[in-house]
Amino acid sequence: MRILVDGLDLSGKTSLVGALVEEFSGRGHRAVRHRGLLAEHHPARRLLKKLPLVRQPDSAFVTSAYLLAGYVLDAALVEHDPPRPADAVIVQDGYVDRTVAFGMAGGPYLGAALALRWPRIFATFDVAVYLHAPVEVRRERLATREKPDAMDIRGVEDPAFAATFTAMLVRGMGRRHHNLLVFDTSRHTPHEMATQVVQAALGATPPSPQDTVVPAEWGRAA
């Protein structure tokens, strides 16, 4: 089983990933945190790490390189070369979804636009969880971050950029996943969200309608 957690920086991804690993483990399911490409032996991994990912929203080249050499190839490889350990629930901290969203919000770049048109060429997840939070909440979190990067700052200081990013997730890349949950992390604790996600992943309960409401501005941004 693969669970994706994604969303704008400072939306609470890291906290939820940790809570999900604990929640799955508490229910008797081994779970591990995972980042980056899924395929265990992806041939372009080292080359892509040399690109300045933090500048990806400002670069059509970096966006296209990650999409083509990274994630399109990853989708072809992962079914035969899955992440390890193979018997664990993979809780993925960010994936191609954010690359496309950043490419649209910072561009839009052709590679991101094409990926948004055909999102199913990329690896899917059993449950995808997209996180967001009001700008004032993210600004408070930014103030406590020791070394914020350009993506952290831009997501707080550029409302149009932030709205477009989240719209591209919810209304675009989210279409390819088996189940999709959207949470405002200012309204839920990591434990509350983790409980709902794990229940949805294990088929215990359907997603709560209140957590899949899409703010109107995301539709306009899309």
Side-chain angles (χ1 to χ4, degrees):
M1 183 180 292
R2 296 198 298 253
I3 311 296
L4 170 64
V5 178
D6 216 330
L8 200 63
D9 293 291
L10 302 170
S11 61
K13 298 187 303 297
T14 301
S15 297
L16 179 56
V17 168
L20 282 170
V21 171
E22 290 182 6
E23 185 70 20
F24 273 112
S25 299
R27 294 175 184 240
H29 300 275
R30 185 182 184 188
V32 296
R33 178 178 183 267
H34 192 272
R35 296 191 70 180
L37 300 164
L38 288 169
E40 185 71 16
H41 303 96
H42 196 295
R45 190 185 306 274
R46 290 186 179 180
L47 179 62
L48 290 172
K49 283 185 176 181
K50 296 180 180 180
L51 299 178
L53 186 57
V54 71
R55 305 305 305 172
Q56 183 249 310
D58 301 311
S59 172
F61 172 76
V62 175
T63 298
S64 297
Y66 267 93
L67 292 177
L68 296 175
Y71 295 112
V72 170
L73 182 57
D74 201 38
L77 295 174
V78 68
E79 298 309 318
H80 305 286
D81 184 27
R84 299 183 183 277
D87 61 344
V89 176
I90 301 299
V91 183
Q92 179 78 13
D93 186 349
Y95 194 62
V96 65
D97 306 56
R98 66 191 292 98
T99 301
V100 173
F102 275 132
M104 293 299 293
Y109 303 124
L110 178 60
L114 292 174
L116 197 67
R117 186 176 180 85
W118 293 291
R120 291 178 178 83
I121 65 175
F122 302 107
T124 61
F125 289 77
D126 297 285
V127 179
V129 186
Y130 294 152
L131 304 180
H132 66 101
V135 64
E136 58 271 16
V137 173
R138 288 184 285 110
R139 182 171 285 113
E140 291 176 1
R141 295 171 181 171
L142 178 64
T144 64
R145 182 156 291 187
E146 196 168 313
K147 293 182 178 180
D149 62 29
M151 289 186 181
D152 297 333
I153 297 170
R154 188 170 185 180
V156 170
E157 300 300 333
D158 189 340
F161 178 88
T164 300
F165 176 94
T166 305
M168 296 303 101
L169 292 183
V170 177
R171 297 194 180 277
M173 299 304 289
R175 292 176 292 163
R176 78 185 195 283
H177 301 299
H178 300 299
N179 293 291
L180 175 63
L181 289 170
V182 182
F183 289 103
D184 178 344
T185 59
S186 69
R187 298 173 54 195
H188 304 274
T189 67
H191 175 71
E192 290 171 345
M193 293 184 289
T195 299
Q196 289 197 44
V197 173
V198 173
Q199 287 176 341
L202 299 178
T205 60
S208 172
Q210 70 175 358
D211 295 315
T212 57
V213 173
V214 179
E217 62 267 25
W218 296 354
R220 291 195 294 272

